[in-house]
Amino acid sequence: MDPAEFRRRGKEMVDIISDYLENIEQRPVFPDVEPGYLRALVPQEAPEEPESFDEIVRDIERVIMPGVTHWHSPYFFAYFPTASSFPAMLADMLSGAIGCIGFSWAASPACTELETVMLDWLGKMLKLPEEFLAGTAGQGGGVIQGTASEATLVALLAARTRTVKNIQAENPGTAEEDIIPKLVAYASDQAHSSVERAGLIGGVKMKMIPSDDKFAARGEALRQTIEADKAAGLIPFYFCATLGTTPSCAFDRISELGPICNSENIWMHIDAAYAGSAFICPEFRHLLNGVEFADSFNFNPHKWLLVNFDCSAMWVKKRADIVGAFKMDPLYLKHDHQESGLVTDYRHWQIPLGRRFRSLKMWFVFRMYGLKGLQQYIRKHVSLAKEFESLVRSDQRFEISAEVVLGLVCFRLKGSNALNEKLLKRINDARKIHLVPCHLSGSFVLRFAVCARTTESKHIQFAWKHIAEIASQVLQEPRQ
């Protein structure tokens, strides 16, 4: 493919993408295929001779689309949103064309510097404390990670390194292998499974703090656990607070938890993967109160801020804590400006070495939507969730299972878990809308998350009518 054909095919692909998105709600939101369906549709080996672009395009519908779950359908209400916007798609095209691997400033200065500036822009939208911003001389700063899971792990490993170094400074001669088995990390029992997984990867104990009746971790529960662990000879070093838990969008009380972590020299990381986008709205910013106590903070613009995957924004108060945990500096990666104090080499802030020019997506989206446009988008989704909540509350057969704060509604039929499991299976088998469940206080609960950029009131109304009709069918069937 030469530049002339690329121009032509590129325009064709934009048309294909536009047609797909414009007509996406006409497709079943969830695929009707069995595991292994795709292997039978493609050759067993790669072709020896080149194939035409037209042949590949024909196979998109034949091979790919039958097995796609349409996350950007306005009838997709599962998990949490994954962001999508035309400005971000265009930026991703440019990123792919530039094709730099921005592991250091020298590897592509614009890639590094735009990322630093975009994280400062976003930090100011969130009204983060000044310590989290890089500015021109700050000790903190932001970085784009691939996912919130990576950010949680990076923070835990940095906390582990900081704690080990502090203990060794106070007790010279103490071996690292004598310290790490005593380290203990904490998170709410509502935290995402990736938090517990970070403990497994980091080789440390991870204890889950019991949440209250609103599914939030509280200060007193953490304090009691810390005191018991210290009495047992363990070393508390890390706590991951969640703002907007995956099951119910609950908010750990970081204004209670933060001072405890600070007094115990425990690294507090805040995971706000989904909810963090809402904090750009003044009416939701109070949910972030207490961030001043945190050592690191993370959320995913690729969930709810119109920046396509992947783009997980992470800030630290002291970037030296991150760099100190990950810095490796072989000769082939060094450059003339790395010791100047004027540049950032992001390879020291993450698990991988290589990194894409992801900040272009933020640059395009922030400029083409503006803060007001982004706020309007968040508010629309919250309003649609409130609309669905009111529909649920209007039907005495159902109950709301958790407070509706943002764009997630947790609800269920009054009755047994088996009844609600049957309801969800019928809903998803129909493939008109898509939901996933969670467990809250032992109850099987249906989660309804407003996800797609194109979701409107008519889609909420359709979804509720569909759910209510299936509920009627299920309730009329004999109980087993």
Side-chain angles (χ1 to χ4, degrees), residues 106-156:
S108 192
C111 181
T112 293
E113 295 196 14
L114 186 64
E115 183 164 336
T116 302
V117 174
M118 288 302 99
L119 270 294
D120 275 2
W121 277 18
L122 185 52
K124 291 174 182 177
M125 291 184 206
L126 297 163
K127 292 182 169 52
L128 288 181
E130 192 72 23
E131 302 98 299
F132 284 105
L133 306 182
T136 56
Q139 295 184 19
V143 58
I144 299 174
Q145 304 285 357
T147 63
S149 304
E150 291 174 47
T152 300
L153 176 59
V154 165
L156 182 140

Side-chain angles (χ1 to χ4, degrees), residues 258-277:
I260 296 170
C261 291
N262 288 179
S263 67
E264 297 286 347
N265 200 24
I266 292 172
W267 182 301
M268 184 167 82
H269 174 69
I270 296 176
D271 171 13
Y274 162 67
S277 296

Side-chain angles (χ1 to χ4, degrees), residues 77-79 246-248 388 392 398-402 404 408-414 416-428 433-440 443-449 463-464 467-468 470-471:
F77 302 106
Y79 311 108
T246 299
S248 66
F388 184 80
V392 175
F398 288 87
E399 60 188 1
I400 297 293
S401 303
V404 179
L408 174 68
V409 182
C410 293
F411 71 106
R412 68 195 304 273
L413 275 172
K414 295 174 182 176
S416 68
N417 284 347
L419 180 67
N420 283 279
E421 289 172 13
K422 180 186 287 189
L423 173 63
L424 179 63
K425 187 175 188 311
R426 294 284 180 84
I427 290 169
N428 285 335
I433 64 173
H434 188 47
L435 308 179
V436 295
C438 69
H439 278 109
L440 294 174
S443 293
F444 186 92
V445 173
L446 283 66
R447 296 170 74 263
F448 185 96
W464 173 247
I467 292 168
I470 293 180

Side-chain angles (χ1 to χ4, degrees), residues 141-212:
V143 58
I144 299 174
Q145 304 285 357
T147 63
S149 304
E150 291 174 47
T152 300
L153 176 59
V154 165
L156 182 140
L157 295 176
R160 188 186 72 176
T161 298
R162 185 181 75 175
T163 301
V164 169
K165 288 181 177 179
N166 288 343
I167 292 173
Q168 289 178 327
E170 295 172 3
N171 303 276
T174 304
E176 181 175 321
E177 55 266 29
D178 293 328
I179 299 170
I180 289 180
K182 298 179 181 179
L183 296 180
V184 58
Y186 307 100
S188 162
D189 60 8
Q190 298 295 305
H192 193 272
S193 60
S194 62
V195 180
E196 191 169 1
R197 189 166 180 262
L200 290 174
I201 296 171
V204 297
K205 298 177 182 66
M206 176 71 71
K207 294 193 175 183
M208 314 316 284
I209 305 300
S211 54
D212 66 8

Side-chain angles (χ1 to χ4, degrees), residues 74-75 77 387-388 391 431-433 448 456-469:
Y75 298 117
F77 302 106
E387 179 180 348
F388 184 80
L391 292 168
R431 293 182 170 82
K432 291 183 178 180
I433 64 173
F448 185 96
E456 301 286 349
S457 176
K458 65 180 181 180
H459 303 112
I460 302 299
Q461 295 291 332
F462 173 88
W464 173 247
K465 181 180 178 182
H466 182 59
I467 292 168
E469 288 175 351

Side-chain angles (χ1 to χ4, degrees), residues 194-480:
S194 62
V195 180
E196 191 169 1
R197 189 166 180 262
L200 290 174
I201 296 171
V204 297
K205 298 177 182 66
M206 176 71 71
K207 294 193 175 183
M208 314 316 284
I209 305 300
S211 54
D212 66 8
D213 59 352
K214 292 186 179 296
F215 311 109
R218 303 293 299 270
E220 187 56 32
L222 177 62
R223 187 191 305 278
Q224 291 177 7
T225 306
I226 289 172
E227 289 175 355
D229 285 344
K230 288 171 66 177
L234 299 178
I235 305 170
F237 80 104
Y238 175 84
F239 175 71
C240 180
T242 305
L243 298 180
T245 59
T246 299
S248 66
C249 198
F251 292 80
D252 290 344
R253 303 300 177 86
I254 56 175
S255 292
E256 298 176 9
L257 299 158
I260 296 170
C261 291
N262 288 179
S263 67
E264 297 286 347
N265 200 24
I266 292 172
W267 182 301
M268 184 167 82
H269 174 69
I270 296 176
D271 171 13
Y274 162 67
S277 296
F279 304 155
I280 66 171
C281 298
E283 64 269 33
F284 300 125
R285 175 56 179 78
H286 70 278
L287 297 168
L288 187 55
N289 289 349
V291 68
E292 62 272 16
F293 299 112
D295 295 273
S296 54
F297 168 71
N298 165 251
F299 85 97
N300 291 340
H302 68 230
K303 271 192 168 66
W304 204 14
L305 211 59
L306 295 168
V307 179
N308 289 52
F309 189 86
D310 60 332
C311 182
S312 186
M314 178 185 185
W315 291 265
V316 292
K317 274 184 179 173
K318 295 182 180 179
R319 58 179 176 265
D321 289 334
I322 294 285
V323 173
F326 297 103
K327 186 172 184 178
M328 299 291 290
D329 223 5
L331 179 61
Y332 51 81
L333 295 178
K334 290 183 177 181
H335 57 89
D336 292 344
H337 297 283
Q338 66 181 45
E339 303 300 336
S340 67
L342 300 175
V343 302
T344 295
D345 285 346
Y346 278 124
R347 71 179 186 272
H348 302 314
W349 295 52
Q350 61 179 23
I351 303 296
L353 174 67
R355 52 205 337 273
R356 299 174 63 244
F357 201 164
R358 293 173 288 200
S359 58
L360 281 171
K361 294 182 287 189
M362 302 173 79
W363 195 45
F364 277 42
V365 168
F366 294 168
R367 294 180 68 184
M368 295 193 72
Y369 278 89
L371 177 57
K372 289 184 178 180
L374 296 171
Q375 290 170 334
Q376 182 181 9
Y377 177 68
I378 296 293
R379 289 167 178 149
K380 177 182 176 182
H381 272 204
V382 175
S383 175
L384 291 171
K386 291 292 185 180
E387 179 180 348
F388 184 80
E389 178 191 13
S390 69
L391 292 168
V392 175
R393 291 190 183 278
S394 70
D395 190 327
Q396 294 303 308
R397 301 175 299 174
F398 288 87
E399 60 188 1
I400 297 293
S401 303
E403 182 182 4
V404 179
V405 180
L406 298 175
L408 174 68
V409 182
C410 293
F411 71 106
R412 68 195 304 273
L413 275 172
K414 295 174 182 176
S416 68
N417 284 347
L419 180 67
N420 283 279
E421 289 172 13
K422 180 186 287 189
L423 173 63
L424 179 63
K425 187 175 188 311
R426 294 284 180 84
I427 290 169
N428 285 335
D429 284 351
R431 293 182 170 82
K432 291 183 178 180
I433 64 173
H434 188 47
L435 308 179
V436 295
C438 69
H439 278 109
L440 294 174
S441 299
S443 293
F444 186 92
V445 173
L446 283 66
R447 296 170 74 263
F448 185 96
V450 181
C451 290
R453 176 175 51 83
T454 55
T455 304
E456 301 286 349
S457 176
K458 65 180 181 180
H459 303 112
I460 302 299
Q461 295 291 332
F462 173 88
W464 173 247
K465 181 180 178 182
H466 182 59
I467 292 168
E469 288 175 351
I470 293 180
S472 296
Q473 297 169 11
V474 169
L475 289 169
Q476 289 173 4
E477 295 173 0
R479 302 288 176 88
Q480 294 182 346

